Every structure is written in C-alpha cells, then in structure tokens.
Amino acid sequence: MQTSKFINLFTRRTFYLFSLLCLVTIALHSCKATRTVPKGKHLLESAELKNVPGGLESDELKKVIRQKPNRRLLAVWRFYLNVYNFGSLFKDNRVTRWLKYTVGEEPVLVDPILTEKSREQLEAYLHSKGFFEAKVQDTTIYSRKKAYVTYNLDHGAPSRIDNITFNIKDTFLLTLARLDSVRSLMKPGDIYDQEKLDLQRDQLTTLFKHNGYYNFFKDYIYFEADTLNRKNKVALTLGIRQAKGIDSLTGEMIEKDHPKFIINKIRVKMSRGMENEEFKDSVTYSGVTFLFNNTMKVLPSVLRSKIFIEENEVYNIGDAEDTYRKLNGLKVFRFINIQFDPETNDLPYNELNCTITLSTAPRQSFSLEPRGTQSEVALGIEGNLSYQNRNAFRGAEQILIRLKGSIEAQKLLAKDESNGLVDQVVPFNTIEIGPELTFNVPRFMLPFKIKRQSRIANPLTSFTAAYNFQKRTDYTRTILNFTFGYNWNETIYKKHQITVADLNLVKVFRSPAFERYLLNTGDLLIRNSYKDQLIPSTRYSYTFNDQGKEGRKNYTYFRANIEVAGNLMAALNGVLPYTRDEEDKLRFLNIRFAQYVRTDYDYRRYLNLNYFSNLVIRGAVGIGKPYGNSGASMPFVRSFYAGGSSDIRAWRIRELGPGSLPDSMRGRIEQTGDVKITGNVEYRFDIYKYLKAALFYDVGNIWLLKEDPNRPGGKFEVNRFYKELAMGAGLGLRFDFSFFIIRIDTGVPLHDPAYDLGNRVRVLKLQPRDVVLNLGIGYPF
C-alpha cells in the first residue's frame, strides 16, 4: 500500500470518527431537557443560595441540600440528562435501558418535602458555624415545566469565642492541653465552628497518644458553649472526662486519672501464617527479641533499623506508625501486625508489651506481562518475562531480571529502492529485545556513615544494567546502559533522586538507503543524531506530589530535572587514550562522547470539581545546551520533541516544529529541538463505570538554540516565539480498567506555526487530513 493511499484512508476515517463524535455531541445537547418530565411535574432547573455569609464556601453549603439539579458538565451541559432523553427516543430494549439508567440520569423533579428538609439542614449547618440566629427561607418559582428554587440565608452576625476555659482534673492532660493551645484550631476572637471543635478533639487525642496515653479515646473530650446573656459571644469550656476503674479496696466503680504507659518488652514474630504457631528459635538484638523457626529470613539488624519502638520509653503512637510504614517499605512482607498488650498496675506508669508479627511474602517469583505499548515514536506489543527475588541476601535487597521483547510500528524514513516507498508506515516493522538487571538495596550504600536519618527518608540505592537490541528497516541500533544512584524522601510529599552515573553506549548500523537519505538531507545535526554515541551523565530529580494529603481534594504535582553529561570525560583528556574525528571531536574507543547540560520542569494542578469531573492544568518547559564535544547537536535520545498522545495531540509525535519550520520540510524526518514550552488543559468527566471522556486544549512547540539553514524558522527568538506556539483541541475517550487504561484522543489544529504569519489560524480551514487520532496507554498527565 502506498503512503499517500494509507494516509488518505487513515485521515478520512479519523475525520469521519471526529465528525461522528461532534454530531452525537450536538444531538445529545439538542435533546429538550423537559421532554420526559411528566405532566404536572417540574424539572428542578436550579437550587441557588442567596446571601451566603462571608468566610463560608457555597460548595460546602450546597452539599447539605437534599435535592440537587441534574449534573452539568462545564456548569452548562446536562450531558447525563440528555443521554437519558436521547435513550427515550427509541423503543425500550436492553441498549436503551443501559443508556437511560446506567449512563444517563433521570430528570430530577422538584419535591416540596425535600425542599423543606433542605431548608432545615441549611439552618442547622449555619448554626454549627456560629450563626445561631440564622433563618433560611425557600422560594420556588415555576415556569412552564421547570422549577427554580432559591434559599435565602438570613444569617445575622456570627458569634465569636469570648474566652476558653479548661475543666480537666487530670493534671498531666491539663498541662498538655494548655501547651497545645498555641496551635489550637479555635482561639478567642474566632467565629464559633462546631466542625473545627470536632477536629480539635482529634488533634488532642493524637497528642495524648503521642505522650503515653495508649487507651485514651476521643469521646473523653467534650466542649460546652455558653451563650447566655452574651450578645454574639460564646464562652467555651474544654473538658476531659476522667477514666473509670474499680477500686481495689471497695470494689466500687470510681473515677481516676487516665493511665500512662511505657514500653516493656518488644518481640518480633517471624510467622508462617499458621494459627497457634510455636517458635523454636530466638535471638535478641539491640533490646528486641526475634522469634523464628530454623533461620531468620530477614536479618535482625535490618529489621531493628526499621523499628522505632524502644524499651522503657513512653508509648508514642507515632513510633508505631513509623515502624509499620518502614517495615512495609521493605516490600518483603505480605502481612504486618503491631499489637500492644497493656499491663495495668498502681504505678504512675503502666506497661505495654509490644508484639510485631511479620509474615514474609514468597521470596522468588516469575511473571509474564504482555501489554500494548506507546513509546516516544510508536505503538506496539510488548512482553516482559521477569524474575524477581525480594530478599536476595536477607537484607530485603531486591533483584529483578527482565527479558523484554516487543514489536512496534514505526515510520520509515528512507527510500526503499525495491518499491519506491517513502515515509511509509508498515505494521510491526521494528523488533526490539534485550535483558535488564536491577539491584535495589533499601539503604544508602556510602563510603561513610550517616549519623542521623529521617524516619520517612526511606533511602534506596539502585544499580541497573541493560542491553537493548533494536532492528528496523532504516537501521539497527544497540544500547548498552549502566546506572547507579540514590532515591530518598524528604517528606511524605517531597522526593529526591540522584543518578550518580548514567552511562549509555549507543551504536547505530545504518542501512545503505538510510545512509544515502541522511547524506541527501545536507543536515549535519540530523546526521550526528544517528551516529554512534557515548553518553556519560549525572542527573538530579526533585518531585513534589501532595496527592492524598488529608483534607485536600485538589493536589499539585511538580517535577524538576537537571542533567550534566561529558564533563568528567572531557577533563580526562590526556589521561585516557582519546582519538579525534574529522570534526576534531574527542573519541573514546572510537566513539564520540556527548557533552551537554539539560534541564526540564513539569507542573500540574489537579482540581476535583465534583465527584464526576475534574480539571487538570499542566505547564512544562525544558532547555538543553550542547557544548564542547557535542558541538551544536544534542544526542537524539536527550533532545526535546513535540506532538503525540501525551503532548500536543493535534500533531503526530515528532512532526511539530521546530519553531515555524514549513510543513513541507517537517515530514522528511523526526523533528527535535533544544528548547520546549508546553501547556495543556484537560476537562475529564465520567460517562460510565469504565468509560470516561475528556475535552482538551494543548499549546506549545520546540525550538533550536542556534540557527540551522536546513530548518529555517527553527531558532528560538524572544520577540517571536509566542507567535510560533502551536494550538490544538479535541475530544478523548478513556477506557479505565484501573490497572490498565487505553486512551483515544482526537485532535485538530487551531493554530499552526508552519503557515505564514497571517494564515496560521486554522479553525475555519480544517480539512479531513488535519484531524489526528492518537492512541495512548495511561493518562497523558
């Protein structure tokens, strides 16, 4: 099949699919909202709040409303109601019932009883927020078959905390409560807030459990609010009830101070998961007794370094939580249980015996993982045959040996003399195979000892060796890779990675046709990209990700990388046996080594709008500067590219840029650049349990740092780069099976810098060939 026919067929089908999606969207949107509303009933069009007090969130108030209008996408489109109405147009069958009741949403009909309950709930909520005199009135306006409900909040002035007193008989708890008042959630002058008081109870309970009070519970804490003869003021009393116990002399129930506990004995049981298991062997290491049978599967020294519970120290729930997290981080246990058994007595401190039960997971495993793939340049099928040892030398070291094989469909770049095809896509024309060995040690392997280490650091030393053989029509490439580095956590949300050494040896065996093609381009930068290269680099990465942070529905992801290559090898000139090539560049073992500095940044903000939709905003920039032994060109594998399913989706991968390079010159070869600026906005929403959709808008491009006569318009210029930003938009579907996500994105270019300046806006000039269909694995960002 010739290239032009293939491309025409592909783009035609893509255009038809995109057109069909647009028509379905229009059809759904045009369905009259009230067409299925019964006679005499009214569709709840809106439920609005008026006169919301300052400092309160409207969204939080709306959560207590018992009856809400049908869900809307982008606050306008009642997609789910439209689907229900669309399904009602057809004869009742399994498909229409699925559309109506599974994907769609029945019209919400206004109910006066639920409106009254909502009014009462709103009043109760305002009272809990300190507006004790608040009254809520509801008004319903009927127009044709729609109803508009308004809740008017007559809230008045809020009541503020006048003073806070304590009613705590236990002197130890009283001292702790007073010391904690500095970080109290409620202070004199603050508006009374029942929710904050409840959080304050949680905070105090945690504080007490960090200070020896093992069996203290939240219910012991109470607050009393006195508003009698106080205009908009509250006298707040924080009280703690005494513990109850049996008097040893009289046998009567009495009140007493809450008991404090210290740690007595610590035992670790290496269990095999059997009931009433007995242990024949034991060893004591650094104050901890380890019980086991035959041999300890994990060295006591390794386990002890992860246990922060200490003998004769006051009980601290934080020590138990850190111990659990550290032991779980070793990834060798399938079951971890930390149990405390109290021994109460009449002493000021009672005792706790701690038992940690560990059940190891199978030490060795084999797995076969077939899957679809999307690499930087292709789609394909991949299979991994893996062997894993989770505890290689009884120190929780992990060895992973993987044999990777794949077949991919990639674009041909060179002319095949036998059939005269150029830029043809041949299904599965690339074969890739290679072994990989990874060795991870759960600690820092350093020539010196670190005296103090954060409990959440979770350090990891990693070694990797890999060989990759890639065979395609244009060339055969082999890559030999060695890496060595460290990973650790600064906090729960901040992570660091230093790759001390990353050595890549790339050898390329070009076909005669591809060799001629590279010569005919006349582009030295492109030719150097497909030469043998040695890339010795050092890299640092910082990642911030606060996803899952308590009390936060929105989260941020940020990643920064900086990489430096070739400086050490350049400094060894005169020490190592280098030779020079025709461009007077140094070669080691007859291979030129790369020298550059590269940095990139990726910022993402995830906004959960509601339970069925969210908005993701992303911005990314990067720059790579070749120098010294690299000359003017970055290594191909370290250059930036634009386009593709995780980038600017209205262009295919590596077919956008650099800069305003004319479209007629782009298709000749995969385009790369030294500078990249990208931005994306994606609105994601649910359609069905496993089916989700997204509307997206992408903007960005790549540029060169130096003028290249073979790629005119490719250089980055401050006074014009913003005019060369490519813009695209589209619609995507996501088949989300949790463990595996298939993504289909259909995009169209809105602004194409390949055209003349006055002709770059393409909205009204779109043709079938302009529609791009991208297939992806996983979410784009």
Side-chain angles (χ1 to χ4, degrees), residues 480-684:
L480 186 63
N481 171 254
F482 296 96
T483 63
F484 157 62
Y486 305 100
N487 302 319
W488 74 96
N489 301 332
E490 178 185 342
T491 67
I492 299 176
Y493 311 111
K494 299 177 183 179
K495 298 182 179 180
H496 301 268
Q497 178 180 2
I498 292 180
T499 304
V500 179
D502 186 347
L503 185 65
N504 283 277
L505 176 61
V506 182
K507 293 189 70 66
V508 183
F509 304 92
R510 298 171 293 278
S511 69
F514 188 55
E515 188 72 46
R516 289 192 299 272
Y517 180 77
L518 291 175
L519 289 173
N520 291 335
T521 63
D523 193 329
L524 182 62
L525 300 181
I526 294 295
R527 287 166 56 191
N528 285 339
S529 297
Y530 289 94
K531 285 187 176 181
D532 298 345
Q533 283 191 332
L534 178 63
I535 308 176
S537 67
T538 298
R539 185 170 55 254
Y540 166 74
S541 299
Y542 167 81
T543 304
F544 173 85
N545 186 356
D546 63 354
Q547 183 178 10
K549 189 172 184 178
E550 186 176 356
R552 180 170 295 184
K553 66 176 183 178
N554 304 324
Y555 61 96
T556 299
Y557 172 91
F558 174 74
R559 190 195 72 242
N561 299 309
I562 183 167
E563 181 179 8
V564 180
N567 290 348
L568 179 60
M569 292 199 68
L572 294 175
N573 185 19
V575 178
L576 295 178
Y578 292 146
T579 59
R580 291 188 179 271
D581 59 19
E582 67 278 3
E583 296 179 31
D584 198 32
K585 301 300 181 183
L586 296 174
R587 286 176 170 261
F588 179 68
L589 300 179
N590 202 31
I591 300 175
R592 182 194 292 191
F593 64 84
Q595 195 173 3
Y596 62 87
V597 59
R598 183 186 191 274
T599 183
D600 61 273
Y601 307 88
D602 187 345
Y603 174 86
R604 307 171 192 177
R605 181 65 174 167
Y606 297 82
L607 305 173
N608 289 310
L609 305 179
N610 43 54
Y611 68 94
F612 61 88
S613 68
N614 57 75
L615 183 70
V616 185
I617 303 170
R618 179 197 187 197
V621 296
I623 182 170
K625 172 63 177 175
Y627 59 90
N629 216 55
S630 284
S633 60
M634 289 280 292
F636 182 79
V637 294
R638 293 293 193 265
S639 298
F640 297 101
Y641 67 91
S645 66
S646 297
D647 201 75
I648 316 296
R649 284 162 282 189
W651 281 265
R652 294 180 182 85
I653 194 164
R654 297 187 189 273
E655 291 191 0
L656 172 61
S660 56
L661 181 70
D663 192 57
S664 59
M665 303 181 68
R666 286 180 177 173
R668 60 180 186 164
I669 205 161
E670 298 166 330
Q671 296 298 334
T672 61
D674 306 318
V675 179
K676 181 173 182 178
I677 301 176
T678 307
N680 311 82
V681 178
E682 184 163 293
Y683 176 73
R684 301 170 180 171

Side-chain angles (χ1 to χ4, degrees), residues 2 17 37 87 105 117 149-150 178 288 290 354 377 394 488 538 546 562 638 670 693 729:
Q2 293 185 355
L17 175 61
V37 174
E105 185 178 71
K117 287 185 178 180
V149 179
T150 302
R178 282 177 171 167
V288 176
F290 294 87
C354 175
V377 294
R394 298 170 59 205
W488 74 96
T538 298
D546 63 354
I562 183 167
R638 293 293 193 265
E670 298 166 330

Side-chain angles (χ1 to χ4, degrees), residues 58-84:
S58 294
D59 290 343
E60 293 300 317
L61 279 161
K62 287 181 178 180
K63 287 181 181 179
V64 306
I65 296 177
R66 300 292 298 272
Q67 192 176 39
K68 301 177 181 65
N70 290 97
R71 292 178 289 168
R72 297 173 188 255
L73 298 180
L74 296 172
V76 176
W77 184 20
R78 283 178 288 211
F79 169 79
Y80 305 96
L81 175 59
N82 291 151
V83 170
Y84 179 90

Side-chain angles (χ1 to χ4, degrees), residues 89 153 163 280 343 394 576 609 626 663 701 719 764 777:
L89 295 172
L153 313 181
N163 57 73
K280 301 177 182 177
E343 293 183 2
R394 298 170 59 205
L576 295 178
L609 305 179
D663 192 57
N701 205 339
N719 61 352
L764 301 178
I777 308 298

Side-chain angles (χ1 to χ4, degrees), residues 160-213:
R160 297 181 179 272
I161 304 298
D162 188 22
N163 57 73
I164 302 176
T165 57
F166 297 93
N167 183 17
I168 305 173
K169 294 180 180 179
D170 190 317
T171 55
F172 283 105
L173 293 181
L174 176 60
T175 301
L176 287 173
R178 282 177 171 167
L179 290 173
D180 190 62
S181 61
V182 176
R183 63 188 191 104
S184 174
L185 300 177
M186 292 294 295
K187 298 178 180 179
D190 291 348
I191 297 175
Y192 176 89
D193 190 327
Q194 191 170 308
E195 182 180 7
K196 286 186 178 180
L197 293 180
D198 197 51
L199 293 174
Q200 183 69 37
R201 293 170 67 207
D202 291 330
Q203 182 174 298
L204 283 171
T205 302
T206 302
L207 173 67
F208 298 153
K209 284 183 174 289
H210 276 81
N211 287 273
Y213 292 91

Side-chain angles (χ1 to χ4, degrees), residues 133 157-160 227-234:
E133 299 176 358
S159 295
R160 297 181 179 272
T227 60
L228 186 63
N229 299 324
R230 298 173 185 269
K231 181 64 175 177
N232 298 327
K233 289 186 177 181
V234 179

